[in-house]
Amino acid sequence: MTSTAQRQELQAKIWRIANDVRGSVDGWDFKQFVLGALFYRFVSENFTNYIEAGDESIDYAKMKDDVITPEIKDDAIKTKGYFIYPSQLFVNVAKAANTNANLNTDLKSIFDAIESSANGYPSEQDIKGLFADFDTTSTRLGNTVESKNARLAAVLKGVEDLNFGKFEDNQIDLFGDAYEFLISNYAANAGKSGGEFFTPQHVSKLIAQLAMHKQEKVNKIYDPAAGSGSLLLQAKKHFDNHIIEEGFYGQEVNHTTYNLARMNMFLHNINYDKFNIALGDTLIDPHYGDEKPFDAIVSNPPYSINWIGDGDPTLINDDRFAPAGVLAPKSKADFAFVLHALSYLSSKGRAAIVCFPGIFYRGGAEQKIRKYLVDNNFVETIISVAPNLFYGTSIAVTLLVLSKKKTNNKVQFIDASGEDFFKKATNNNVLTDDHIEKIMQIFDKKEDVEHVAVSIDNTKIAENDYNLSVSSYVEAKDTREKINIAELNKEVTETVAKIDKLRADIDLIIKEIENV
């Protein structure tokens, strides 16, 4: 079976399990149990693979817990970040799931043990709370212990039956793909509440390529509104591992989504010492100030959300916002995220940010921030993309590319919203690899393309009140039917002559009738 066919079969099975097992439970509410079970199996097999180290004479799952020495445990935690005893492995728990009357409490104990195994080690914060949303005592699973156990067993047995092949051969990609497939489907079916934390893979791919373009290596990559980590992972997926030298950084305000992002890192085989995902509000409690600057920043922050803004008078003195001399409006935090990203960007790097279109032409504080960005030559490219690319919103968003290493004083505007730049799909429009390549070629060459791309001097933008809307500079193609006026006048004259002749004939007929 080809990898594509294997992946499609796996995805069909896992979505069927997710729907069959949940019963009357809302899919969005039930997602944590399926995602958690998948993660539990992954870390179990990943850990087993590490312990066995390719030695076929070792079968870790069949070993007794009491043969594990403190030295073995200590060494494993330092390397993997956590420890799982043989009896705690997914394979052993799933095997007896249907007959275990204490399944829900046993699972809770196992998850607590895995998390606490990292206590006192460098990985503690990366492991802590990973299973917090896999609540095995939740009433969403049922009102009785028996019903909870029955549904948990069904989830475990379903995930157990999935064929991931040999772990060391292809397991990592398949696990990660399965996890992202589940997240994307849950997001698509949940509407706005799901779309807020997940950027579709095809859009993530474009954003990652914009941020990483022509960088032979980057120190680290950062997402200040990390969501489920999909943007960071596209950088790993489409660029060699060695290019990103010091790892993946992100911050997420939602606790459940923060856990999803950390799980997503593990599932894509990014070890605990190569990622740092923090929990908190990036705008008022930013992390990683000591880690900046970052050579690559990618982000799809929430559109036009409320924030404290000038309600906190100290923020105007914040290093991130002070240079612009003004704070983003309280009801529209978009430019606060932009200025935060710019502050964390290195002198050689790029930031690629998904933005709500209105911030590029509205007045007030947003206009003043645009003035700061243009006058200091930080805006490299602005790209208008097709509508309906994201879950939960049909708007046509705009991509903003910031750079501190520009060699000219121009801003490139690209209109990639036409039908040549997306494929229509059932629920959402899609960017294919060809569309992404076409956009990247235009971005790279910086050449004007009629009705698609143009580069405008910063002085001209200033004369236009710092309007950065793509439609203000890229002339739209006139798709109206062209009419030959001379030919039309000739046709009108001929038609009028025919009407006159017809009237004359009718008058003649009427006279003849009257004379009869």
Side-chain angles (χ1 to χ4, degrees):
M1 184 184 293
T2 65
S3 59
T4 301
Q6 185 182 16
R7 183 176 287 108
Q8 289 174 346
E9 180 183 314
L10 182 66
Q11 290 176 348
K13 283 183 178 179
I14 200 168
W15 190 240
R16 189 161 59 247
I17 292 165
N19 282 320
D20 289 348
V21 175
R22 71 180 174 89
S24 60
V25 184
D26 180 77
W28 185 245
D29 290 336
F30 196 66
K31 73 180 186 302
Q32 306 301 342
F33 302 107
V34 181
L35 292 169
L38 187 67
F39 179 69
Y40 176 33
R41 178 176 167 181
F42 171 82
V43 294
S44 293
E45 295 187 14
N46 185 296
F47 190 80
T48 298
N49 191 60
Y50 162 74
I51 292 291
E52 293 178 352
D55 188 340
E56 294 183 1
S57 67
I58 301 175
D59 189 342
Y60 186 62
K62 292 182 179 179
M63 292 173 63
K64 298 293 184 182
D65 290 359
D66 57 14
V67 305
I68 306 299
T69 65
E71 290 75 20
I72 292 175
K73 184 176 180 181
D74 180 68
D75 188 59
I77 298 171
K78 287 177 179 175
T79 303
K80 300 302 295 180
Y82 59 92
F83 191 86
I84 305 178
Y85 282 100
S87 66
Q88 299 170 334
L89 293 170
F90 175 92
V91 63
N92 288 329
V93 174
K95 188 187 303 178
N98 286 329
T99 57
N100 184 356
N102 301 312
L103 179 61
N104 68 326
T105 53
D106 283 353
L107 279 172
K108 184 181 187 313
S109 297
I110 289 171
F111 297 158
D112 288 346
I114 294 173
E115 289 184 16
S116 63
S117 70
N119 290 350
Y121 288 86
S123 60
E124 181 175 349
Q125 290 305 312
D126 298 306
I127 306 297
K128 186 178 182 180
L130 269 177
F131 291 98
D133 295 298
F134 194 164
D135 183 2
T136 61
T137 62
S138 172
T139 54
R140 287 180 294 183
L141 291 168
N143 293 320
T144 66
V145 172
E146 290 76 14
S147 58
K148 288 181 175 69
N149 286 343
R151 188 159 275 160
L152 283 170
V155 173
L156 293 178
K157 299 302 283 188
V159 171
E160 178 188 40
D161 288 342
L162 295 172
N163 178 21
F164 287 107
K166 287 187 176 181
F167 189 92
E168 60 273 17
D169 293 337
N170 58 13
Q171 193 83 343
I172 294 161
D173 285 339
L174 288 177
F175 262 117
D177 285 349
Y179 193 75
E180 286 192 51
F181 168 79
L182 270 174
I183 292 178
S184 64
N185 271 316
Y186 279 124
N189 283 276
K192 185 179 180 183
S193 62
E196 286 175 348
F197 78 89
F198 185 79
T199 306
Q201 287 192 23
H202 53 99
V203 184
S204 298
K205 185 174 182 180
L206 172 60
I207 295 167
Q209 290 195 22
L210 288 168
M212 303 277 285
H213 184 61
K214 286 190 173 178
Q215 296 203 66
E216 293 182 2
K217 60 182 180 180
V218 299
N219 60 352
K220 42 206 165 189
I221 187 165
Y222 169 62
D223 185 346
S228 58
S230 53
L231 273 168
L232 291 173
L233 288 166
Q234 282 301 317
K236 177 184 187 296
K237 189 172 289 187
H238 296 287
F239 298 92
D240 293 337
N241 286 334
H242 72 273
I243 290 180
I244 303 171
E245 296 178 317
E246 298 173 41
F248 304 78
Y249 291 75
Q251 185 165 345
E252 171 56 35
V253 69
N254 180 282
H255 195 281
T256 296
T257 311
Y258 157 71
N259 284 337
L260 287 179
R262 291 190 296 158
M263 287 183 180
N264 219 353
M265 293 293 135
F266 279 111
L267 281 157
H268 285 80
N269 209 38
I270 300 176
N271 208 38
Y272 78 91
D273 56 347
K274 280 295 184 181
F275 76 82
N276 287 273
I277 307 294
L279 177 65
D281 186 328
T282 296
L283 298 183
I284 62 173
D285 181 27
H287 289 241
Y288 308 123
D290 293 337
E291 294 287 346
K292 67 179 183 181
F294 295 87
D295 290 342
I297 296 176
V298 291
S299 195
N300 178 16
Y303 309 142
S304 300
I305 60 167
N306 295 326
W307 78 306
I308 192 168
D310 59 15
D312 180 354
T314 66
L315 282 174
I316 194 60
N317 298 317
D318 190 300
D319 289 345
R320 299 169 297 164
F321 311 127
V326 65
L327 296 171
K330 283 184 178 181
S331 61
K332 303 175 182 68
D334 309 73
F335 265 128
F337 283 103
V338 170
L339 291 174
H340 171 89
L342 181 67
S343 172
Y344 277 45
L345 187 64
S346 76
S347 59
K348 70 181 279 290
R350 281 194 182 92
I353 307 166
V354 182
C355 299
F356 185 80
I359 71 169
F360 294 102
Y361 56 80
R362 291 190 296 237
E366 291 177 317
Q367 182 186 40
K368 292 177 181 177
I369 294 172
R370 293 196 303 271
K371 180 181 187 302
Y372 163 71
L373 294 174
V374 172
D375 287 351
N376 287 277
N377 205 30
F378 292 136
V379 183
E380 180 175 3
T381 301
I382 297 174
I383 307 171
S384 174
V385 295
N388 208 30
L389 290 176
F390 294 81
Y391 303 123
T393 179
S394 60
I395 64 170
V397 302
T398 301
L399 308 183
L400 170 64
V401 182
L402 300 173
S403 172
K404 293 182 178 178
K405 61 171 184 177
K406 288 175 61 183
T407 56
N408 61 30
N409 292 311
K410 294 183 176 184
V411 175
Q412 181 190 36
F413 294 88
I414 301 175
D415 184 354
S417 63
E419 292 190 356
D420 291 342
F421 292 96
F422 71 93
K423 182 178 77 172
K424 291 184 177 180
T426 306
N427 296 317
N428 288 82
N429 293 325
V430 175
L431 299 175
T432 66
D433 285 348
D434 288 342
H435 296 136
I436 293 171
E437 183 179 356
K438 188 185 298 186
I439 293 171
M440 289 305 301
Q441 286 179 350
I442 296 170
F443 172 74
D444 175 57
K445 291 181 179 179
K446 297 291 190 291
E447 295 175 355
D448 290 356
V449 179
E450 190 175 15
H451 306 304
V452 175
V454 64
S455 292
I456 303 293
D457 284 329
N458 291 345
T459 53
K460 296 291 184 184
I461 295 172
E463 290 170 6
N464 195 23
D465 295 327
Y466 295 95
N467 186 325
L468 291 176
S469 177
V470 172
S471 61
S472 296
Y473 302 99
V474 179
E475 183 181 0
K477 190 173 184 180
D478 189 348
T479 57
R480 295 174 298 178
E481 181 183 357
K482 292 183 179 179
I483 298 173
N484 186 318
I485 298 299
E487 191 68 31
L488 180 62
N489 283 334
K490 180 182 177 184
E491 289 178 7
V492 170
T493 302
E494 291 174 352
T495 300
V496 170
K498 288 178 182 178
I499 292 172
D500 289 344
K501 183 178 183 304
L502 184 59
R503 284 175 176 167
D505 290 344
I506 291 172
D507 290 343
L508 185 61
I509 292 170
I510 291 173
K511 283 181 180 180
E512 290 177 352
I513 293 173
E514 290 175 343
N515 293 331
V516 171

